[in-house]
Structure formats: structure tokens, C-alpha cells
């Protein structure tokens, strides 16, 4: 019943927006597509990042993607159908590799939906993937071998000057998730449970000067199940994002502010039944400069995601990035995944450009610290509740080259990251002793 009420509430909000902004304009419906892609990536980590790791690590990922789509039109009604299968498997890993469902999900229908063009918008239902805005909160994964998926319904259309999306989903839990079965590439359909509900609204429009404004509000409501223990998150996440682009050169900028409030539990243990008050926030700011349309771009990025500065006070202050991706802000995921959007402050100086017509490259310097020294470095699991180890995670140099060897058919990518550990990364309880680690990757993508 709560899901039905949520959907009714979304409909009421959409109707109110229409009354305020004027008539609803028709939009282009979702277009089903057909194609095949094969993605491979070799990763090598020279040195340990996480507790219990003692040496180097490597993994070889392979992901095959098959899309089958069809559009039907009759008597003014347009119906779309999409089936997309992903087969993500991994090799070369060992007992110390942080192998999980982020690397392996064999033979999974990540999209299996029907859509109907209603004239004023498009309604879609079934199993879905989704990208919204900056992709920091809701995203379809690209670098990671597997993707976030949902089962439910969504609607997108124009309300006056606003392009609006309303969604009511159950986040799918990737299966199997037992370490030995993941390592064996076992096939099992991902689990859908309506004990996990995710719903919200996302709206965007152009404003004065060609700038873009995005407003959104999401709510996650989940309950423990025997198959999927969790933290019983009941959190609401409103936010806004403003972007100024400069395609012909000049100054560009971005600002995103996100708040969070609600109730969560401290752990996913079945014995943990105590709800904590949750108050958290995320802030992203970027300034970029390009002298001309083909010149390299230089940018400064600052990102802060709150942490919990007092683990014993009965409150939760660590930001939850919901179903977002980390790659754009923090670099590669995979066995690297050194940073994520929880209890973190980073500053980045980046230079990027096109040295050749089909080549994109970037180089950056990144400084990373914990937002709260008493909270965890969540990407690695290191924590010092006393705060005595400080908050310095370290400094990173990253470079990446991406080349379309055959235009729109074969893409090759390689990169290197050098991470010099800060005091916390060296001295927190259980921290590996190395002063620095290196990560390299090489990937290919074939698109047919």
C-alpha cells in the first residue's frame, strides 16, 4: 500500500507542476535499440590498500552485452520493448582479491521493459537501468563490470519548461552474492523484493544564458529480509545541481548540493534493531577553463561528503550515495576503488583534452582526506574511532588515454594511478605498511 500511495503522490505532484507551468509538451519516447558489445579489462594493483592484503593483486574482467529492441506504432499509439543481457565474469583473482557482485554477474537481464508513448510523456515498466543528472545518486554503471538495476515503473515528459522524470522502483539485489559462487561465475537471477522501495522526482530545465538547473528528491525505504539483511535505510535525499557549459571555450562551472535525512541502523546485522537519526550532506563544486573549442581544459574540483564525527552519539552523519557511480569524481572502480562518496573530502586539479582526433586524455592531481577522522575510510574498511590516526588518506596522480582505434567500433583505454598514502592510510589499525601503491589498467570495447 505504501508503494501505491507513493505513486499517487508522484502523480499529484506532476499534476500540480502542470498547473503551475502550463500545458504538457510531447517528448520523444524512449527508443529501444539493438546491438552487441564486448568489454574486457585487465587490472593490476601493485601493493595493498585494504586490511588483510599482503601484496599485489590482479583481475581480468569480461562483459558481453546483447541488446534487442523493437518499436511498434499503430493507431497513434507507440509501444517500445527492450531486452538487454549482460554477462560479466572475472578471472585471475585470488583469495585476497576484493571479489564481489561488482565484478561478477553472469547472464543477467539488466533491462527487460515495455514502454508506451502517451503523447504527453513515456511510461516504462519492467526491469530497468537508469541515469539521472550527474549520476552521483542514480546511475547505470559503465566502468564497473556489473550495473545497478531496478524493477518498477517510471515516467518522463515535459511539464512546461521542465523535463521531468518520476520513478517508483524496487532496487534489485545482485545474485549470487556468496564469495565462492561469485568466484565460480554461477548464474542466478537477481532478486527483486518490494521490501526495498526507491521513489522520487527528477526535473531539469534551461535557464538564462543557456545554463542548466536540476532539482530532485528521492526516498529510499528498505526492510530486512532473510535473504537480504540491510541497514533498514529510510532516508530522503533532496538536492539541486547547476551547470554552465562553454562548448566554444571560456569559463564553465558546476555546483551540486545534496541533503539527506531520515533513519538508518548502524550495521546490517540481524541483531541490530536500533534506529539512528540520519543527517548528512554532499557538496560538489567545479570551475573549468578552456581557451578555445579545441584547446585543453583545466579544472579545479572540490567534493565533500559528510562523515560521522561521533560514532557513540546515537546519530548517523555519513552520506549515502544511494545508487550512484564513483568513476567521474574518484577514478576507476574495480579492484582499485580507493575512494567513494562517504566521509570524504577531495580536491582535484585536472587537465584534459584531445591530443589527436580520436584520442581523449587527462591527467590529474588529487588530494584526499576523511571528512571526519573518527569515521571510516569506507572504500577500504579502515577505521580509527579514536581519531588518533588523523584524516589524511593521501595524494594521487592519475593519467588516462582513451583511443577509438576504429571509429565507433573499437575503443582502447589505458591508465595509471600512483597513490602516496597519508598518515591515516599508513597508521590506522590494520593498515598495510606500504607507503605507496600503483594501479594500472588496460581495456578494450568492441561495439557492433
Amino acid at each position: 500500500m505504501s508503494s501505491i500511495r507513493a505513486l499517487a503522490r508522484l502523480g499529484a505532484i506532476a499534476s500540480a507542476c502542470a498547473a503551475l507551468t502550463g500545458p504538457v509538451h510531447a517528448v520523444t519516447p524512449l527508443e529501444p535499440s539493438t546491438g552487441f558489445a564486448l568489454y574486457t579489462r585487465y587490472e593490476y594493483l601493485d601493493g595493498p590498500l585494504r586490511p588483510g592484503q599482503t601484496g599485489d593483486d590482479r583481475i581480468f574482467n569480461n562483459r558481453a552485452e546483447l541488446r534487442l529492441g523493437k518499436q511498434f506504432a499503430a493507431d497513434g499509439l507507440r509501444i517500445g520493448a527492450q531486452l538487454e543481457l549482460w554477462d560479466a565474469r572475472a578471472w585471475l583473482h585470488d583469495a585476497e582479491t576484493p571479489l564481489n557482485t561488482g565484478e561478477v554477474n553472469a547472464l543477467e537481464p539488466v533491462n527487460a521493459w515495455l514502454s508506451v508513448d502517451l503523447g504527453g510523456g513515456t511510461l516504462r515498466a519492467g526491469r530497468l537501468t537508469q541515469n539521472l543528472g550527474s549520476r552521483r545518486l542514480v546511475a547505470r554503471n559503465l566502468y564497473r563490470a556489473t550495473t545497478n538495476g531496478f524493477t518498477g515503473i517510471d515516467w518522463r515528459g515535459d511539464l512546461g519548461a521542465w523535463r521531468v522524470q518520476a520513478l517508483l522502483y524496487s532496487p534489485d539485489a545482485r545474485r549470487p552474492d556468496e564469495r565462492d559462487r561469485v568466484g565460480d561465475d554461477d548464474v542466478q537471477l537477481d532478486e527483486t523484493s518490494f521490501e526495498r522501495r526507491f521513489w522520487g522526482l527528477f526535473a531539469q530545465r534551461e535557464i538564462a544564458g543557456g545554463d542548466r538547473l536540476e532539482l530532485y528528491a528521492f526516498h529510499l525505504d528498505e526492510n530486512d529480509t532473510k535473504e537480504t539483511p540491510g541497514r533498514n535505510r529510510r532516508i530522503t535525499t533532496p538536492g539541486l545541481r547547476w551547470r554552465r557549459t562553454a562548448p566554444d571555450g571560456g569559463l564553465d562551472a558546476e555546483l551540486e548540493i545534496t541533503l539527506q535525512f531520515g533513519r538508518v541502523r548502524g550495521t546490517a546485522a540481524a541483531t541490530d534493531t536500533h534506529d539512528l537519526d540520519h543527517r548528512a550532506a554532499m557538496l560538489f563544486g567545479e570551475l573549468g577553463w578552456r581557451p578555445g573549442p579545441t584547446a585543453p581544459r583545466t579544472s579545479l574540483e572540490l567534493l565533500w561528503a559528510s562523515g560521522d564525527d561521533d560514532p557513540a552519539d546515537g546519530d548517523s552523519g555519513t552520506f549515502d550515495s544511494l545508487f550512484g557511480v564513483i568513476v567521474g569524481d574518484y577514478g576507476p572502480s574495480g579492484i582499485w576503488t580507493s575512494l567513494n562518496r562517504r566521509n570524504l573530502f577531495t580536491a582535484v586539479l585536472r587537465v584534459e583534452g584531445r591530443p589527436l582526433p580520436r584520442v581523449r586524455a587527462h591527467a590529474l592531481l588529487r588530494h584526499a582526506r576523511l571528512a571526519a577522522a573518527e569515521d571510516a575510510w569506507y572504500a577500504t574498511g579502515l577505521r580509527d574511532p579514536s581519531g588518533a590516526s588523523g584524516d589524511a588518506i593521501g595524494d594521487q596522480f592519475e593519467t588516462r588515454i582513451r583511443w577509438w582505434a576504429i571509429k565507433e567500433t573499437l575503443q582502447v583505454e589505458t591508465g595509471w594511478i600512483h597513490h602516496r598514502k597519508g598518515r591515516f592510510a599508513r597508521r590506522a589499525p590494520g593498515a598495510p605498511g606500504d607507503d605507496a601503491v600503483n594501479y594500472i589498467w588496460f581495456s578494450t570495447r568492441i561495439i557492433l
Side-chain angles (χ1 to χ4, degrees):
M1 288 299 294
S2 61
S3 296
I4 295 174
R5 288 194 298 270
L7 183 58
R9 193 177 306 170
L10 290 180
I13 293 172
S15 298
C17 290
L20 290 172
T21 58
V24 177
H25 302 290
V27 296
T28 303
L30 293 164
E31 297 288 350
S33 60
T34 296
F36 175 79
L38 181 65
Y39 180 60
T40 63
R41 183 175 69 246
Y42 174 77
E43 305 174 48
Y44 176 70
L45 180 63
D46 176 25
L49 272 175
R50 299 167 179 85
Q53 289 185 321
T54 56
D56 59 3
D57 198 4
R58 59 185 54 79
I59 194 170
F60 182 80
N61 288 108
N62 182 87
R63 183 177 78 222
E65 307 169 6
L66 175 64
R67 298 188 318 279
L68 301 172
K70 185 68 176 178
Q71 184 112 327
F72 309 90
D75 300 326
L77 184 67
R78 299 183 63 174
I79 299 175
Q82 182 77 65
L83 173 65
E84 183 176 11
L85 299 173
W86 278 22
D87 187 72
R89 303 174 186 243
W91 294 272
L92 302 184
H93 47 79
D94 58 30
E96 290 188 1
T97 303
L99 187 69
N100 53 43
T101 60
E103 304 299 321
V104 175
N105 197 8
L107 201 59
E108 186 64 35
V110 299
N111 274 300
W113 51 258
L114 293 173
S115 68
V116 180
D117 178 16
L118 302 175
T122 301
L123 183 69
R124 184 174 62 151
R127 176 163 283 191
L128 316 161
T129 57
Q130 179 70 276
N131 281 317
L132 290 178
S134 66
R135 305 175 66 238
R136 295 187 178 101
L137 297 172
V138 182
R140 168 189 169 103
N141 300 76
L142 297 175
Y143 185 91
R144 200 181 76 187
T146 67
T147 187
N148 301 318
F150 307 92
T151 299
I153 60 175
D154 58 28
W155 175 88
R156 65 184 66 190
D158 287 349
L159 297 175
W162 292 88
R163 169 61 59 90
V164 177
Q165 295 188 54
L167 57 92
L168 176 57
Y169 295 158
S170 170
D172 295 325
R174 290 184 296 277
R175 293 290 184 265
D177 59 351
E178 299 90 349
R179 177 62 163 74
D180 55 343
R181 295 187 63 194
V182 170
D184 290 339
D185 299 318
D186 284 359
V187 176
Q188 181 181 339
L189 191 67
D190 290 352
E191 177 202 353
T192 298
S193 170
F194 292 101
E195 292 298 317
R196 300 186 298 271
R197 297 174 294 276
F198 180 62
W199 58 275
L201 281 172
F202 176 88
Q204 61 181 348
R205 63 166 294 174
E206 288 192 2
I207 55 178
D211 296 359
R212 183 174 296 274
L213 178 65
E214 299 170 0
L215 302 175
Y216 53 82
F218 305 118
H219 182 76
L220 176 64
D221 189 338
E222 64 180 9
N223 295 304
D224 278 333
T225 66
K226 183 181 296 185
E227 297 79 13
T228 309
R231 297 178 59 211
N232 282 42
R233 293 174 293 173
R234 294 177 176 87
I235 54 178
T236 300
T237 307
L240 64 86
R241 179 182 179 224
W242 166 78
R243 290 188 67 203
R244 167 169 291 177
T245 60
D248 296 325
L251 185 68
D252 62 84
E254 178 179 345
L255 176 67
E256 184 164 12
I257 301 172
T258 308
L259 305 178
Q260 235 170 32
F261 54 89
R263 306 275 285 176
V264 301
R265 291 180 182 169
T267 70
T271 55
D272 186 353
T273 59
H274 180 61
D275 289 334
L276 307 175
D277 288 327
H278 181 70
R279 299 288 186 275
M282 185 269 290
L283 174 65
F284 175 84
E286 178 182 17
L287 282 175
W289 172 258
R290 188 194 310 269
T294 61
R297 174 178 179 267
T298 302
S299 62
L300 174 65
E301 307 164 19
L302 300 176
L303 198 151
W304 172 80
S306 64
D308 193 344
D309 58 7
D310 187 355
D313 65 0
D315 294 329
S316 166
T318 305
F319 186 75
D320 189 317
S321 63
L322 301 177
F323 308 101
V325 295
I326 66 172
V327 176
D329 291 334
Y330 300 125
S333 51
I335 63 172
W336 174 243
T337 313
S338 65
L339 306 171
N340 59 22
R341 207 167 285 107
R342 303 182 69 188
N343 186 39
L344 193 68
F345 169 77
T346 62
V348 177
L349 179 64
R350 185 190 306 259
V351 178
E352 57 191 329
R354 294 181 179 271
L356 294 171
R358 296 206 300 262
V359 177
R360 290 188 64 90
H362 78 217
L364 62 85
L365 293 172
R366 184 193 320 272
H367 177 71
R369 311 185 76 87
L370 300 177
E374 299 81 5
D375 203 353
W377 180 13
Y378 282 94
T380 65
L382 291 171
R383 180 194 291 264
D384 184 352
S386 72
S389 300
D391 61 5
I393 293 174
D395 300 299
Q396 295 179 2
F397 170 76
E398 174 184 326
T399 184
R400 186 196 70 193
I401 298 175
R402 182 178 291 164
W403 172 43
W404 280 103
I406 303 176
K407 188 176 181 180
E408 297 182 356
T409 300
L410 173 61
Q411 185 185 81
V412 178
E413 179 179 298
T414 188
W416 168 54
I417 298 176
H418 176 76
H419 175 88
R420 184 165 184 81
K421 296 180 180 180
R423 178 182 174 186
F424 177 88
R426 298 193 313 270
R427 299 187 180 182
D434 300 47
D435 289 335
V437 296
N438 293 278
Y439 170 77
I440 61 172
W441 74 95
F442 180 85
S443 69
T444 63
R445 184 173 178 82
I446 300 172
I447 303 173
L448 301 175

